[in-house]
Amino acid sequence: MQMVRLIYVSRMTEECDLEALENILKVSRERNAAKNITGVLFYDPAFFMQCLEGPSMAVNALYGAIVTDPRHKDVTLLEYGSVNEREFGDWSMGFVRTIDLDTQTLQLYSKTGKLDPFALSSSEANNFLVEIMKQRKKERSGS
Ligand code: FAD
């Protein structure tokens, strides 16, 4: 089956508190692994950016559920397309927060001085997520 990568951004609603966030992560990790979906959820108190990779039908169906989830709004697709390989194959749902990022990475992707994921192009969004997950991997391996 065709494999796709999808990246979207959205704004959190008041329904999304820390408990809801923990629940989203738990559900995502369990369900995504069962559907052969991998990816990353980037969280800022104001927004989400998420990448989903996997079989097209599974990713499309999940995105359909995510778009209508009341815990966020203004869901905006940044990238969607076929891919041969996964960027985030090690993660059923990797998780990174703005406060985990170093200043250099933040500055590189913050055109207006503040990180605004809605202003990123599809390739910038992809590069941003690849970069922050590389850093996460390094931190985890202790190098
Ligand atoms: P059910 O559990 O039957 O829920 C039905 C609908 O109710 C859901 O579609 C959702 O809109 C809403 N809902 C569910 N739980 C709550 C709650 N606690 N509070 C308010 N509304 C709720 N799911 C994944 O499986 N994988 C992911 O990678 C993933 N990423 C997400 C990223 C974000 C930013 C958000 C907000 C949600 C994400 N979800 C993810 C959750 C997803 O939207 C669905 O809730 C989940 O997949 C269950 O779908 P369902 O249709 O089986 O829902």
Side-chain angles (χ1 to χ4, degrees):
M1 169 166 317
Q2 192 194 6
M3 185 158 72
V4 295
R5 178 176 307 128
L6 181 158
I7 302 177
Y8 73 83
V9 290
S10 63
R11 296 185 209 284
M12 286 177 63
T13 60
E14 283 179 2
E15 285 192 43
C16 194
D17 53 17
L18 272 183
E19 197 186 330
L21 179 63
E22 279 169 16
N23 188 260
I24 288 169
L25 271 176
K26 186 171 173 287
V27 167
S28 301
R29 286 177 173 150
E30 288 166 5
R31 292 192 177 205
N32 294 3
K35 293 176 191 158
N36 198 17
I37 292 176
T38 53
V40 181
L41 181 65
F42 175 65
Y43 160 82
D44 178 278
F47 58 78
F48 290 109
M49 183 190 295
Q50 188 175 31
C51 174
L52 302 167
E53 305 173 317
S56 57
M57 281 177 70
V59 169
N60 297 351
L62 174 57
Y63 185 62
I66 288 175
V67 164
T68 59
D69 194 311
R71 291 168 288 187
H72 64 167
K73 61 181 182 180
D74 301 341
V75 181
T76 305
L77 195 60
L78 289 186
E79 177 175 306
Y80 181 86
S82 299
V83 288
N84 294 323
E85 287 181 5
R86 294 172 192 257
E87 289 281 10
F88 309 105
D90 295 341
W91 313 85
S92 57
M93 193 41 62
F95 180 60
V96 184
R97 303 162 300 174
T98 307
I99 53 168
D100 298 325
L101 300 186
D102 61 39
T103 321
Q104 204 186 346
T105 309
L106 265 178
Q107 277 172 354
L108 190 62
Y109 291 94
S110 304
K111 293 172 184 167
T112 57
K114 195 169 183 292
L115 183 62
D116 176 9
F118 288 85
L120 296 179
S121 68
S122 64
S123 59
E124 285 169 335
N126 193 51
N127 293 344
F128 173 69
L129 292 176
V130 167
E131 177 59 35
I132 63 178
M133 291 317 284
K134 257 194 211 154
Q135 289 180 18
R136 174 110 304 196
K137 248 187 169 171
K138 265 195 197 159
E139 283 161 23
R140 288 208 162 174
S141 65
S143 55

